[in-house]
Amino acid sequence: MSGPSAEEVVGAKRALAKALRVVVLTGAGVSAESGVPTFRGAGGLWKQFRAEDLATPIAFGRDPRLVWEWYGWRRAEVGRCRPNPAHLALARWMLSRAGVTLVSQNVDDLHERAAREVALDAEASARALPIKLHGSLFHDRCARCNHRVAGGAVDATGLETLPHCAECGGLMRPDVVWFGEMLPARAVEAAFAAAADAEACLVIGTTGAVYPAAGVAHAAKASGASVVIVDPGPTELDGIADVRLRGAAGDIVPRILG
Ligand code: APR
């Protein structure tokens, strides 16, 4: 598969550079080159595991040990991954200009790590942090009182070894949004406000199969934004693309934002 033509890259660069306000929507594909498995692609998590056994509140109620075993494994795996050139180019771009809002479906914290890596200090890195629609793999939340803490290594040998709440003693759960659960209201509000105000929307590495996240791109399109999509494969958002760049994020994103 040959990558995008020079004209396509210039077209995308121009659409993004002239937009005063841009909303960026990322999915698992932006982290694929960091070694984080996607969900629906070849070797994707939902090809290997049954989401209904691992990523729903019912599954957690039925067998919290199994769910924690899986999230503990993912946390260890993803913890070893590093931001790739796409994450880093996005963070640098966000620090180099105003008016960019990053909305991510990812729970891998690689955008955050990229922001910290490229920014001079914590205050500056805050400008390159994403709105997180689906939570974080690296935080735990009490299933009873919602107390939230940074998550560590998980011992899933028994119910008693699983993380418990320091506030109320309840069982902690991974602080991610599971199927059938509501997304954090403030994050959704901020994401759709940025979409409604955007003059351009950059979509990177998502099939666009999951709502309301995919709705961010549709909302931006509806408000007149030009939509640029970066993905090696077909996506459910292709129909609204003004510029469609076929290829890997790690190769294309630095070229269109550099
Ligand atoms: N660069 C860019 N895109 C890539 C790359 C790459 N190197 N490798 C794969 N992709 C693309 C795939 O072609 C696919 O379109 O990334 C996309 C990944 O799609 P999914 O696996 O469906 O992941 P995502 O869209 O993020 O899933 C949405 O579903 O399972 C839930 O909560 C989970 O946040 C997730 C949501």
Side-chain angles (χ1 to χ4, degrees):
M1 171 183 59
S2 63
S5 68
E7 291 75 42
E8 287 171 324
V9 169
V10 169
K13 266 184 106 124
R14 201 169 286 138
L16 296 168
K18 75 175 169 52
L20 291 179
R21 290 173 303 283
V22 180
V23 66
V24 181
L25 176 67
T26 64
V30 77
S31 299
E33 292 150 86
S34 297
V36 180
T38 65
F39 293 93
R40 293 169 190 83
L45 290 171
W46 301 147
K47 294 266 167 61
Q48 303 173 50
F49 306 97
R50 285 161 36 97
E52 56 272 31
D53 292 341
L54 297 163
T56 69
I58 293 168
F60 187 69
R62 186 174 51 225
D63 191 345
R65 202 200 58 70
L66 175 69
V67 172
W68 262 121
E69 191 172 32
W70 189 62
Y71 278 94
W73 165 76
R74 282 185 67 196
R75 187 176 279 178
E77 291 284 302
V78 175
R80 281 190 283 272
C81 299
R82 301 196 42 65
N84 66 52
H87 298 108
L88 298 168
L90 258 175
R92 283 196 195 94
W93 188 57
M94 292 181 73
L95 295 176
S96 72
R97 56 160 285 172
V100 181
T101 303
L102 172 59
V103 178
S104 188
Q105 300 170 83
N106 300 346
V107 296
D108 58 32
D109 287 10
L110 288 174
H111 286 305
E112 289 81 348
R113 280 189 249 167
R116 286 195 292 274
E117 225 174 273
V118 303
L120 294 175
D121 56 40
E123 200 191 322
S125 73
R127 285 183 31 235
L129 293 179
I131 294 171
K132 300 174 75 62
L133 292 179
H134 296 162
S136 165
L137 197 51
F138 298 95
H139 282 82
D140 303 347
R141 176 162 54 89
C142 177
R144 189 194 291 163
C145 75
N146 272 335
H147 177 62
R148 198 168 170 274
V149 293
V154 177
D155 175 353
T157 42
L159 207 52
E160 65 297 339
T161 66
L162 296 178
H164 283 75
C165 180
E167 300 283 318
C168 76
L171 188 58
M172 300 294 276
R173 52 163 284 173
D175 188 27
V176 296
V177 177
W178 283 327
F179 290 102
E181 290 191 317
M182 298 290 286
L183 275 60
R186 269 198 305 205
V188 173
E189 230 172 270
F192 280 85
D197 206 25
E199 292 168 2
C201 173
L202 173 59
V203 179
I204 308 170
T206 179
T207 39
V210 172
Y211 285 78
V216 169
H218 288 286
K221 182 76 176 181
S223 74
S226 55
V227 176
V228 176
I229 296 184
V230 176
D231 198 298
T235 82
E236 296 183 18
L237 294 168
D238 289 355
I240 61 169
D242 298 284
V243 182
R244 184 66 179 80
L245 304 172
R246 278 188 184 281
D251 164 42
I252 296 175
V253 173
R255 289 165 62 191
I256 60 175
L257 300 184

